[in-house]
Amino acid sequence: MQGATHRWNRIAAVLAACGLIASMGACGQNKKSAEPVEPPAEPAGPITVVASVNQWGSLAAQIGGDDVAVTSIVDTTAVDAHDFEPQPADMAALQDAQVVVSNGAGYDVWATKSMGPQTASVSAAETVGASEGDNPHLWFSKDARNGMATELADAFSRILPDKKDDFQKRLDQWQEREQQLEDSMDAFRQAHPDATYAATESVAYYLLSDLGFEDLTPEGYAQASANESEPAPADLQQFQELVESQGVDLLVNNVQQGGDAANMITGTAGRANVPVFDVSEQMPEEFDDPTDWIASLVQTISGLLPADAPSDVDEADSTADDAAGEGTGSADGQDTAGDTSAPSNEGQQDPGR
């Protein structure tokens, strides 16, 4: 009997020990589950943005506001972006950036080659489907500007999702200003349905296209300019004869791409009373954003051409006025053959390098 009692006592002790162990395990589990789980840290701003050129960098600043810190590597008209060589500090900035904003189309190849593996890329050429060989001066295109503004807002929102509404608000404000600019451009097109131009270098191709101009630059000269070579004497003579005869309403001159040929053409325009529109590739320092800059350029062009183009009936009177020194020196009253619709300004195989 004592043996049986002893066995039961041992079994009870074992069961009690197991219960204690189980209880301790359960307590341990409860203690572990009660520990607070920290949520993942939200990305902190401002977003580090590096742009190849100030045209796109200033647009990024417009859309990003205080939530971005933008650096534009080429930010002066004293630098020729075509021949720009980035410094080690520029390469480091591109590698460390959260967002790199580039133009593309062969204009700034160095920018995308230097990006870090985690860097988001926003490219104007990719946005509008342009490629190397197309005219690369995309900031003058209304389609490229609109596309880039939207792409920038999306890229910033992915990095700082809590700020998405702020980015959208700035985008909406930018679009209102851009629409006002485009309305003024539409008004110019209606006032000058047959406007023509020629260019010493095709920097403003997209701008003039959006304004409804027809490009009458002699093909041989344009090709030489695109290849950054001197034009053949025959091509230069053809260009001079075009300007001397007032065969175009406007001469466009890239002040960052000078040379003997360009100087000869602009000199000829001065003698022939053909207005010269000087324009730079990079945004001048006096402007804070491309909207104001391009609006100023449109205003300048509007001032170079008369607001009311005379009809064929008034051609003789217009010619007499020009001879007397009245007017602005544009080729009013000339028979200019031109399509009244603007050519497509994206994907053009237009010489623009």
Side-chain angles (χ1 to χ4, degrees):
M1 188 71 177
Q2 289 180 349
T5 301
H6 181 68
R7 285 195 301 272
W8 281 111
N9 288 340
R10 290 178 59 189
I11 292 173
V14 171
L15 291 174
C18 290
L20 178 60
I21 293 173
S23 175
M24 292 174 62
C27 291
Q29 290 177 354
N30 290 338
K31 183 178 180 181
K32 183 177 180 180
S33 62
E35 291 179 355
V37 178
E38 295 184 3
E42 290 291 335
I47 302 170
T48 303
V49 181
V50 178
S52 60
V53 293
N54 65 350
Q55 300 93 305
W56 295 127
S58 58
L59 178 58
Q62 282 184 277
I63 303 301
D66 293 336
D67 297 311
V68 300
V70 180
T71 299
S72 295
I73 294 178
V74 181
D75 62 352
T76 173
T77 56
V79 175
D80 183 357
H82 294 281
D83 301 325
F84 178 76
E85 292 290 340
Q87 300 299 309
D90 301 326
M91 306 286 281
L94 289 163
Q95 291 173 353
D96 294 339
Q98 292 174 274
V99 179
V100 166
V101 184
S102 62
N103 184 77
Y107 192 76
D108 49 4
V109 178
W110 48 268
T112 51
K113 283 185 176 180
S114 304
M115 290 193 333
Q118 304 301 320
T119 302
S121 173
V122 181
S123 164
E126 292 180 3
T127 298
V128 297
S131 58
E132 189 167 357
D134 294 335
N135 189 307
H137 307 108
L138 294 167
W139 52 91
F140 284 126
S141 162
K142 63 181 181 181
D143 294 337
R145 291 193 302 274
N146 278 282
M148 282 292 279
T150 300
E151 287 295 321
L152 287 165
D154 290 344
F156 297 159
S157 296
R158 285 192 292 269
I159 297 174
L160 293 179
D162 289 346
K163 296 285 188 174
K164 181 176 181 180
D165 291 342
D166 293 332
F167 295 132
Q168 183 61 50
K169 180 179 179 180
R170 297 188 194 105
L171 174 61
D172 292 340
Q173 293 171 342
W174 179 88
Q175 289 173 335
E176 290 179 5
R177 294 182 61 205
E178 174 70 15
Q179 187 58 56
Q180 292 174 1
L181 170 59
E182 293 180 19
D183 288 344
S184 69
M185 296 172 76
D186 289 341
F188 180 92
R189 288 170 59 102
Q190 294 176 12
H192 306 85
D194 300 311
T196 60
Y197 81 99
T200 61
E201 199 267 350
S202 60
V203 59
Y205 171 80
Y206 295 115
L207 174 60
L208 274 294
S209 177
D210 285 342
L211 286 170
F213 278 84
E214 180 185 7
D215 185 1
L216 297 183
T217 307
E219 184 176 355
Y221 182 98
Q223 191 60 51
S225 175
N227 295 332
E228 299 183 1
S229 60
E230 289 296 321
D235 295 327
L236 181 58
Q237 181 179 356
Q238 182 184 6
F239 201 160
Q240 287 184 290
E241 290 174 352
L242 173 70
V243 175
E244 285 174 348
S245 65
Q246 295 186 335
V248 291
D249 298 319
L250 188 71
L251 177 68
V252 179
N253 179 49
N254 184 351
V255 295
Q256 290 186 254
Q257 293 284 330
D260 292 340
N263 291 337
M264 292 179 64
I265 298 293
T266 55
T268 301
R271 292 188 295 274
N273 290 325
V274 173
V276 178
F277 171 53
D278 289 322
V279 60
S280 60
E281 296 192 28
Q282 269 56 61
M283 185 174 67
E285 296 178 357
E286 61 263 31
F287 296 100
D288 294 327
D289 58 68
T291 309
D292 285 343
W293 177 37
I294 295 174
S296 175
L297 295 178
V298 172
Q299 185 177 10
T300 298
I301 294 173
S302 298
L304 291 173
L305 298 186
D308 51 346
S311 63
D312 291 339
V313 176
D314 298 327
E315 181 177 354
D317 292 339
S318 175
T319 303
D321 288 343
D322 288 343
E326 300 179 9
T328 61
S330 63
D332 295 331
Q334 299 291 326
D335 292 331
T336 54
D339 186 1
T340 58
S341 61
S344 172
N345 64 349
E346 306 303 342
Q348 293 283 336
Q349 292 295 327
D350 179 79
R353 299 296 306 281

